[in-house]
Amino acid sequence: MKISVIMLTYNHGKYIEKAVQSVCAQQGDFQLEIIIGDDCSTDNTAEVIDELAAKHKEIKIFRPEKNIGMHANLKKCLSLAEGDYISMCEGDDWYISPYKLQMQMEFLEKNKDCVMCSHSYIEYNQKEDKYSTINYQQDYNGGGDLLF
């Protein structure tokens, strides 16, 4: 099994290393590839990514010649993915469990009629310096659309 992690980034120089390291720390019965789409960042994101790619052979970098925006960046990165499964981890996010990908892969393997899965997450609000746990089962009441 192969899992492709798509990491879109733009000016995430302060966060990208932690994001990539959290993906590289994933443990499980799968092969991993990380596709980083750097959409012409103007900070030090490119330099950090290059250093990480030199250390981790599973990293592939996509860099357009000019800024193409999130949707086109995502579309291109998805076209490069070779995995049986695809996971998303933005350049300013990170995985807190080293078994996240293994657990989701096992769930999808056991539930073939399911085409995607998600999980609760912790959100950090920089302005308020506050963490909040978002739990889909408790917080989503089914009254509206979930957009992914």
Side-chain angles (χ1 to χ4, degrees):
M1 247 346 114
K2 186 174 194 174
I3 298 177
S4 299
V5 176
I6 306 292
M7 186 173 291
L8 303 182
T9 188
Y10 178 76
N11 288 347
H12 289 147
K14 291 172 30 178
Y15 314 103
I16 192 78
E17 183 172 4
K18 186 171 187 175
V20 171
Q21 287 177 343
S22 76
V23 176
C24 290
Q26 290 297 298
Q27 299 176 33
D29 188 25
F30 55 84
Q31 183 184 1
L32 182 66
E33 78 172 345
I34 305 168
I35 301 168
I36 303 175
D38 180 16
D39 198 11
C40 299
S41 293
T42 58
D43 65 357
N44 67 331
T45 300
E47 291 83 7
V48 175
I49 293 169
D50 288 342
E51 289 175 17
L52 291 165
K55 297 174 188 173
H56 301 281
K57 65 176 176 30
E58 60 268 29
I59 295 176
K60 297 178 185 176
I61 303 171
F62 165 65
R63 286 194 179 104
E65 291 183 20
K66 63 179 185 167
N67 185 277
I68 59 175
M70 180 186 73
H71 294 106
N73 193 13
L74 175 59
K75 186 176 179 180
K76 179 61 179 178
C77 288
L78 287 170
S79 75
L80 298 172
E82 298 175 354
D84 301 291
Y85 293 104
I86 295 174
S87 182
M88 298 291 300
C89 183
E90 299 293 329
D92 61 349
D93 296 339
W94 61 89
Y95 297 156
I96 58 175
S97 168
Y99 302 102
K100 171 204 171 6
L101 295 177
Q102 180 68 31
M103 289 186 291
Q104 289 183 316
M105 182 184 73
E106 287 174 3
F107 175 84
L108 291 169
E109 283 293 303
K110 290 177 185 172
N111 297 277
K112 294 290 188 179
D113 57 333
C114 186
V115 296
M116 67 191 305
C117 64
S118 189
H119 52 77
S120 299
Y121 61 92
I122 299 169
E123 179 179 81
Y124 176 67
N125 182 320
Q126 277 185 309
K127 290 179 183 176
E128 297 176 15
D129 191 29
K130 178 182 169 186
Y131 289 92
S132 303
T133 299
I134 309 300
N135 184 325
Y136 286 124
Q137 290 179 338
Q138 292 176 358
D139 297 340
Y140 178 66
N141 64 13
D145 293 330
L146 285 177
L147 301 176
F148 295 94

